[in-house]
């Protein structure tokens, strides 16, 4: 198909003419249907326990809901699971050391499976919820969580034992005030029968205590709440975490269109810089019947102040670079070796430090294995921020972990006895996912080693060596290894080819075999662009990656649009099917209409290492914005774009950049559409914002130079604001405040469209279509020559 307007003829039966050529609204209605137009792509891929079937979520028939399907590995036949088959599905769980048994939780109950014959035994069947099952170190018992306490179920005889007794609040005090105590003593001294009865009662209590079975120590958490508990393999210790609720004030989001017809309130999040929860971690010594806190006062660097604080020193010459008290930390879940050693990931709550430490359970003492410090913030795949810290045991003496210390997230090993670490991977690429083989001889890795724009599956010997690439097609590969580790279920896609499920042997050079076909006839009727990945040079010399959508020479209108992706830390320049697939299709439509389109992985984006990620530290709207300006310059110099006819659009972080571009770079951008935009970072959440800008009270300068609200007076071009009214992520309040600011400034060339029933990620096709109709009309009105 030549273009999307020709596609429109297929969809509507219209004849080719002026009406069809100009009726872009009908095209938008189709492509903004999302999965109803593209097709329901398979997801949530996993294997059956016997490695004979691949399960995945799918909806090839366009039913009301997605369903679970299975592909028979032997016959390649695909079928929808019946209700009985759904009930019989096992969930992910924990295995014995020889992988002979698996324990898992499903629908609030605990199940034990024998992997030799895949027979399943139900351990619990209750109305309360049991969770987090695992095996004891000797593998004779199943340990699970019930009502915030640990229980042990003996496999051989089914007996049940409670291991902990955590209780909210404080132990009831028997202490009386002085007056009450005097009265009681006086009464007992004068009434013999009372003395006799008390003596009998005390004797009975003492005898009952002597014959009672040993119970776990009651641990009262006071005004703190339990946040996790983890037993040691020998069941002699329990590590537990408690926290004090900061009771931070939450924003309430009004919901105007409700089933009740009344306006209701949605409880949303607190803003950045509010009071934070305070965490403590403790050890319960079951045998010793005692508890002790894990202290972090002696951790290396625990008193260090973040470097930015020196900027606010009244007298820099007298500035002290350490705190008087240790920084607050969060101690992660202990990871136990087979012989009972414990290793933990500890992060400072300001996210400037990450420590990997061993824990001596008998004393509660910590020992440093690795420290990673970042003056900006700790992050990267398998390290932190948008990812959990990866730690695992290779054997009883060695662990593996990921670190971004070189500037890219790589895989390391460390000996916990002598503290020696070893880098297993290195280079200007990232390790994106790590899995240790069952025989603990091979790491299964996902990495962008070939290119930042591709993701492949690799094998790496545990002791180090060459990474062996297993997948070969250009694009993105999401790999799930079969339980027998002989086969791979691969969700694969390319830039203009949506995700499908493939099957291949787990070996280099093997061929992938496609199992699913999900795209619709309508989607397949159009030849979707394979956008060129280019690099342009920024003003500071950085090579900035971007995807380029070029119009046909006879269609080129001299105008350009830049698309700005959301999240900040996200990758959009790549060779796999985009998460921004609606925007991808819209960019195709723009190019069909003569626009040159550029989508940039600006500074802050994922996939390019630490320096690219942290380039926005303390200044959002700095390098991330100048990359858009330099991208516009590239379009003018290299693609003949008219410098006075460049627009941009984006959502969330992309909406924020759009606002900053129109407010601060008004001579570069003629118009822009800002979707679900952050307008003031002091009103966004803590977990995301405090890493990049610290907190408003600590680093007010960072917020002042990073928030569009402070630069609204710079608006010259045409601004379209679009926002969902029930957005519980970036609150509707953001654009309401900005609107008031624009009104007070007397700005006239802006409009706002609101969507009463949409949150941050739009759901309804009608909302998507209306939103992008307005964006398209904005660009046609402001960027095309009259």
């Amino acid at each position: 198909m030549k273009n999307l307007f020709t596609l429109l003829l297929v969809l509507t039966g219209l004849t080719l003419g002026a009406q069809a050529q100009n009726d872009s609204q009908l095209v938008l209605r189709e492509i903004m249907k999302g999965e109803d137009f593209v097709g329901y792509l398979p997801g949530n891929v996993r294997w059956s326990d016997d490695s004979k079937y691949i399960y995945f979520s799918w909806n090839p028939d366009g039913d009301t809901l997605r369903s679970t399907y299975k592909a028979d590995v032997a016959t390649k036949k695909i079928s929808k699971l019946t209700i009985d088959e759904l009930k019989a599905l096992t969930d992910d769980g924990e295995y014995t050391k020889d992988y002979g048994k698996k324990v898992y939780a499903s629908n609030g109950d605990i199940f034990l499976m024998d992997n030799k014959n895949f027979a399943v035994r139900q351990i619990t069947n209750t109305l309360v919820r049991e969770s987090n099952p695992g095996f004891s170190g000797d593998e004779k018992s199943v340990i699970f969580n019930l009502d915030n306490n640990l229980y042990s179920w003996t496999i051989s005889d089914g007996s049940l034992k409670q291991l902990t007794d955590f209780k909210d609040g404080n132990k009831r005090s028997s202490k009386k005030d002085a007056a009450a105590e005097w009265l009681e003593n006086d009464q007992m001294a004068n009434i013999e029968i009372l003395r006799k009865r008390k003596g009998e009662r005390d004797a009975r209590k003492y005898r009952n205590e002597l014959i009672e079975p040993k119970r776990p120590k009651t641990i009262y958490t006071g005004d703190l709440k339990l946040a996790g508990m983890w037993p040691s393999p020998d069941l002699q210790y329990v590590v537990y975490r408690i926290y004090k609720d900061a009771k931070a004030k939450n924003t309430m989001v009004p919901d105007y269109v409700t089933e009740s017809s009344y306006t209701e309130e949605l409880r949303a999040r607190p803003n950045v810089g509010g009071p934070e929860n305070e965490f403590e971690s403790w050890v319960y010594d079951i045998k010793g019947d005692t508890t002790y806190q894990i202290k972090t006062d002696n951790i290396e660097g625990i008193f260090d102040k973040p470097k930015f604080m020196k900027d606010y020193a009244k007298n820099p010459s007298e500035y002290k670079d350490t705190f008087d008290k240790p920084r607050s930390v969060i101690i992660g879940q202990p990871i136990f070796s087979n012989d009972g050693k414990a290793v933990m990931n500890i992060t400072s709550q300001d996210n400037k430090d990450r420590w990997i430490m061993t824990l001596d359970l008998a004393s509660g003492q910590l020992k440093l294995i690795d420290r990673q410090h970042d003056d900006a913030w700790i992050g990267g795949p398998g390290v932190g921020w948008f990812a959990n810290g990866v730690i695992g045991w290779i054997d009883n003496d060695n662990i593996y972990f990921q670190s971004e210390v070189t500037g890219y997230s790589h895989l390391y090993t460390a000996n916990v006895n002598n503290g020696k670490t070893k880098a297993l991977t290195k280079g200007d690429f990232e390790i994106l996912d790590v899995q240790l083989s069952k025989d603990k001889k091979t790491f299964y890795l996902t990495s962008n080693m070939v290119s930042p724009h591709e993701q492949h599956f690799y094998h790496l010997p545990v002791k180090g060596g060459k990474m062996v690439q297993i997948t070969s097609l250009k694009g993105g590969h999401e790999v799930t290894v079969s339980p027998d580790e002989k086969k791979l279920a691969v969700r694969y896609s390319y830039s203009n080819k949506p995700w499908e499920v493939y099957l291949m042997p787990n070996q280099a050079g093997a061929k992938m075999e496609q199992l699913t076909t999900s795209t619709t006839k309508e989607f397949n009727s159009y030849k979707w662009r394979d956008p060129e990945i280019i690099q342009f040079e920024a003003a500071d010399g950085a090579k900035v990656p971007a995807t380029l959508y070029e119009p046909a020479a006879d269609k080129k209108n001299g105008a350009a649009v830049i698309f700005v992706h959301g999240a900040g830390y996200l990758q959009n320049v790549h060779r796999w099917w985009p998460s921004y697939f609606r925007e991808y299709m819209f960019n195709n439509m723009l190019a069909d209409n003569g626009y040159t389109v550029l989508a940039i992985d600006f500074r802050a984006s994922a996939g390019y290492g630490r320096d690219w990620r942290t380039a926005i530290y303390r200044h959002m709207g700095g390098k991330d914005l100048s990359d858009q300006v330099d991208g516009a310059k590239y379009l003018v110099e290299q693609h003949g774009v008219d410098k006075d006819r460049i627009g941009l659009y984006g959502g969330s972080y992309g909406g924020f950049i759009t606002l900053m571009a129109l407010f601060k770079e008004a001579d570069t951008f003629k118009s822009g559409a800002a979707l679900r935009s952050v307008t003031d970072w002091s009103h966004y959440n803590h977990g995301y914002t405090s890493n990049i800008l610290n907190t408003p009270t600590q680093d007010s300068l960072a917020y002042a130079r990073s928030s569009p609200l402070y630069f609204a007076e710079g608006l010259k071009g045409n601004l379209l604001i679009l926002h969902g009214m029930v957005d519980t992520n970036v609150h509707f309040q953001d654009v309401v405040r900005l609107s008031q600011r624009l009104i007070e400034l007397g700005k006239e060339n802006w409009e706002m469209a609101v969507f009463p029933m949409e949150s941050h990620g739009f759901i309804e096709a009608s909302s998507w279509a209306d939103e992008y109709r307005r964006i398209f009309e904005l660009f046609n009105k402001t960027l095309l020559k009259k």
Side-chain angles (χ1 to χ4, degrees):
M1 286 292 177
K2 186 176 181 181
N3 58 40
L4 281 166
F5 288 105
T6 309
L7 171 61
L8 177 63
L9 307 184
V10 175
L11 299 174
T12 63
L14 293 175
T15 57
L16 186 61
Q19 180 181 358
Q21 289 283 6
N22 294 316
D23 201 348
S24 59
Q25 185 173 348
L26 289 177
V27 173
L28 283 169
R29 285 179 182 173
E30 291 301 319
I31 64 176
M32 291 300 156
K33 287 179 179 177
E35 289 186 312
D36 283 337
F37 175 73
V38 175
Y40 287 82
L41 310 181
N44 300 326
V45 178
R46 61 192 181 104
W47 284 89
S48 63
D49 294 292
D50 59 9
S51 299
K52 293 181 179 180
Y53 299 95
I54 299 170
Y55 298 118
F56 51 92
S57 168
W58 205 28
N59 187 10
D61 300 323
D63 292 338
T64 303
L65 299 174
R66 281 177 167 266
S67 298
T68 301
Y69 284 74
K70 68 177 180 182
D72 187 313
V73 171
T75 66
K76 313 303 184 293
K77 180 182 177 182
I78 296 177
S79 58
K80 184 192 293 188
L81 265 63
T82 65
I83 294 298
D84 287 339
E85 287 177 315
L86 283 172
K87 289 179 179 180
L89 273 182
T90 67
D91 289 340
D92 292 337
E94 296 291 329
Y95 291 87
T96 53
K97 300 179 189 70
D98 64 357
Y99 291 91
K101 292 184 177 65
K102 181 177 85 168
V103 64
Y104 63 95
S106 181
N107 295 317
D109 290 314
I110 308 297
F111 297 82
L112 179 66
M113 187 178 70
D114 187 332
N115 281 352
K116 295 177 182 178
N117 55 19
F118 304 105
V120 174
R121 179 181 178 185
Q122 185 164 357
I123 296 175
T124 65
N125 186 355
T126 66
L127 295 177
V128 292
R129 189 173 189 84
E130 296 91 16
S131 62
N132 301 325
F135 290 100
S136 59
D138 60 12
E139 300 180 345
K140 295 180 179 179
S141 301
V142 170
I143 315 302
F144 61 89
N145 186 327
L146 169 62
D147 286 339
N148 278 335
N149 277 297
L150 292 172
Y151 290 80
S152 172
W153 179 83
T154 304
I155 296 174
S156 60
D157 61 15
S159 59
L160 187 66
K161 178 181 178 181
Q162 185 168 343
L163 300 178
T164 64
D165 185 28
F166 291 103
K167 291 186 177 179
D168 296 334
N170 298 292
K171 184 177 181 180
R172 185 175 179 180
S173 175
S174 59
K175 186 176 180 181
K176 304 178 179 64
D177 59 48
E181 186 175 5
W182 185 93
L183 287 171
E184 181 177 326
N185 291 338
D186 183 69
Q187 185 82 326
M188 296 299 291
N190 288 295
I191 308 297
E192 182 179 354
I193 295 299
L194 288 178
R195 294 196 302 274
K196 175 177 176 293
R197 290 178 179 177
K198 183 178 183 303
E200 293 171 349
R201 187 169 64 249
D202 290 346
R204 189 179 300 110
K205 179 182 178 184
Y206 177 71
R207 185 173 63 188
N208 288 340
E209 288 175 350
L210 290 176
I211 63 175
E212 278 184 356
K214 183 173 175 56
R215 305 293 189 187
K217 177 183 178 68
T218 300
I219 301 173
Y220 293 93
T221 60
D223 59 352
L224 280 68
K225 297 180 180 180
L226 191 66
M229 50 189 170
W230 304 276
S232 63
D234 61 7
L235 304 184
Q236 294 301 303
Y237 301 94
V238 174
V239 178
Y240 62 97
R241 184 167 63 226
I242 51 179
Y243 72 98
K244 184 176 182 180
D245 190 342
K247 301 188 185 303
K249 184 175 181 179
N250 291 291
T251 300
M252 305 306 293
V253 175
D255 185 0
Y256 293 100
V257 185
T258 65
E259 293 182 7
S260 70
S261 82
Y262 289 94
T263 299
E264 299 173 2
E265 287 189 329
L266 304 175
R267 181 183 173 90
R269 51 160 178 80
N271 292 339
V272 60
E276 295 182 74
N277 293 341
E278 298 176 8
F279 293 87
E280 298 176 3
S281 287
W282 291 69
V283 177
Y284 167 34
D285 180 343
I286 296 177
K287 189 174 182 179
D289 203 33
T290 187
T291 62
Y292 34 91
Q293 187 174 358
I294 302 171
K295 294 287 189 178
T296 56
D297 300 15
N298 295 319
I299 292 180
E300 177 185 300
I302 193 65
F303 290 90
D304 293 352
K305 286 182 180 178
K307 286 190 176 181
F308 78 88
M309 298 187 78
K310 192 172 183 179
D311 292 354
Y312 295 92
K314 294 180 180 179
N315 189 343
S317 63
E318 297 179 1
Y319 176 75
K320 183 181 177 183
D321 60 4
T322 56
F323 291 109
D324 294 330
K325 295 181 178 180
R327 285 180 288 158
S328 297
V329 302
I330 299 177
I331 300 176
Q333 172 182 346
I335 309 298
F336 294 104
S337 63
N338 287 340
D339 65 355
K341 296 187 184 76
V343 65
M344 316 175 86
N345 190 80
I346 302 175
T347 54
S348 59
Q349 284 197 262
D350 62 15
N351 218 23
K352 309 294 185 190
D353 281 278
R354 190 282 314 265
W355 300 269
I356 295 176
M357 309 193 79
T358 57
L359 169 68
D360 179 37
L361 293 167
S363 65
Q365 296 298 306
L366 296 167
K367 174 186 170 185
L368 182 65
I369 300 298
D370 181 79
R371 178 191 178 191
Q372 184 182 331
H373 171 81
D374 198 311
D375 288 337
W377 74 95
I378 295 292
V383 181
W385 200 39
F386 272 61
N388 294 320
V390 169
I391 305 177
W393 289 91
I394 298 171
D395 53 40
N396 288 332
D397 299 312
N398 296 281
I399 62 168
Y400 64 90
F401 64 95
Q402 284 181 252
S403 173
E404 207 183 36
V405 67
T406 64
Y408 293 86
S409 180
H410 281 291
L411 182 63
Y412 295 79
T413 60
N415 185 292
V416 298
N417 301 313
N418 58 31
K420 291 183 178 180
T421 62
K422 176 184 177 181
L424 297 186
T425 62
K426 61 181 179 179
D428 294 350
F429 62 91
E430 294 183 316
I431 301 301
L432 305 171
D433 187 64
V434 178
Q435 179 183 341
L436 184 60
S437 64
K438 290 181 176 179
D439 63 11
K440 299 193 174 183
K441 293 180 179 180
T442 304
F443 284 114
Y444 300 135
L445 307 178
T446 300
S447 175
N448 59 4
M449 184 171 73
V450 168
S451 160
H453 315 301
E454 294 185 43
Q455 294 182 357
H456 287 279
F457 184 72
Y458 297 82
H459 289 182
L460 174 69
V462 164
K463 293 183 178 180
K466 181 181 178 181
M467 288 174 59
V468 178
Q469 185 175 331
I470 305 302
T471 54
S472 58
L473 293 182
K474 184 179 289 187
H477 301 78
E478 298 177 357
V479 175
T480 306
V481 182
S482 63
D484 64 10
E485 300 188 335
K486 295 178 180 179
K487 298 175 284 293
L488 304 176
V490 183
R491 208 171 80 110
Y492 166 78
S493 71
Y494 185 66
S495 305
N496 57 358
K497 184 178 180 180
W499 298 100
E500 300 289 0
V501 174
Y502 292 71
L503 173 67
M504 68 176 290
N506 188 11
Q507 59 189 41
K511 184 181 178 181
M512 291 200 314
E513 183 177 0
Q514 185 171 342
L515 300 179
T516 62
T517 300
S518 308
T519 50
T520 65
K521 178 181 71 174
E522 292 78 11
F523 177 85
N524 295 333
S525 297
Y526 175 71
K527 187 177 180 180
W528 298 98
R529 285 172 174 79
D530 177 5
E532 181 185 1
I533 294 180
I534 60 95
Q535 284 187 338
F536 61 85
E537 186 171 337
D540 63 359
K543 303 296 184 182
V544 182
T547 50
L548 179 67
Y549 301 74
E550 290 194 271
D554 62 341
K555 291 284 188 180
K556 191 169 184 176
N557 59 26
V561 172
I562 293 177
F563 168 62
V564 190
H565 70 69
Y569 190 62
L570 179 145
Q571 186 174 3
N572 190 51
V573 178
H574 50 64
R575 298 196 185 281
W576 58 87
W577 183 244
S579 56
Y580 286 103
F581 66 93
R582 288 183 178 86
E583 289 78 358
Y584 164 79
M585 293 189 291
F586 182 63
N587 291 341
N588 272 267
M589 176 180 163
L590 288 172
D592 281 348
N593 280 270
Y595 291 93
T596 303
V597 182
L598 193 69
I600 303 170
D601 267 355
F602 48 87
R603 252 72 71 91
S605 299
Y608 307 95
R610 181 263 174 197
D611 290 349
W612 205 260
R613 170 175 60 83
T614 61
I616 58 169
Y617 179 56
R618 301 188 70 202
H619 191 185
M620 299 158 91
K623 294 293 185 184
D624 46 358
L625 175 58
S626 65
D627 285 345
Q628 316 300 324
V629 175
D630 292 332
K633 181 181 178 183
Y634 160 80
L635 291 173
V636 172
E637 295 178 350
Q638 300 296 323
H639 293 276
V641 167
D642 185 339
K643 69 178 181 63
D644 296 321
R645 293 194 289 135
I646 301 175
L648 77 170
Y649 78 101
S652 195
Y653 198 99
F656 149 72
I657 287 293
T658 298
L659 293 175
M660 291 294 266
L662 291 182
F663 294 167
K664 295 187 68 179
E665 301 291 345
D667 294 334
T668 300
F669 299 102
K670 178 73 173 178
S671 60
L675 296 67
R676 49 193 179 276
S677 315
V678 176
T679 68
D680 184 347
W681 286 107
S682 67
H683 283 241
Y684 197 51
N685 70 41
H686 186 87
Y688 180 91
T689 318
S690 64
N691 290 281
I692 305 172
L693 301 180
N694 303 306
T695 66
T697 54
Q698 291 178 318
D699 202 356
S700 57
L701 294 175
Y703 284 81
R705 60 180 168 236
S706 299
S707 296
L709 191 72
Y710 298 107
F711 301 98
E713 62 185 13
L715 177 63
K716 295 179 183 177
N718 297 271
L719 170 62
L720 173 62
I721 301 171
L722 307 111
H723 213 105
M725 294 181 71
V726 287
D727 192 335
T728 54
N729 181 14
V730 179
H731 301 151
F732 182 59
Q733 179 189 32
D734 261 49
V735 293
V736 172
R737 294 176 68 232
L738 178 60
S739 299
Q740 181 60 32
R741 179 73 177 135
L742 293 171
I743 291 168
E744 292 176 2
L745 289 168
K747 300 295 181 179
E748 299 179 355
N749 49 341
W750 65 279
E751 294 180 350
M752 183 164 69
V754 300
F755 299 84
M757 298 187 70
E758 297 291 359
S759 185
H760 195 62
F762 280 20
I763 296 175
E764 304 302 330
S766 57
S767 300
W768 280 103
D770 184 84
E771 184 177 46
Y772 276 81
R773 172 188 61 81
R774 295 172 188 272
I775 297 170
F776 187 62
E777 289 175 355
L778 169 74
F779 292 147
N780 284 347
K781 178 181 177 181
T782 60
L783 301 182
L784 297 185
K785 287 185 176 180
K786 307 301 182 186

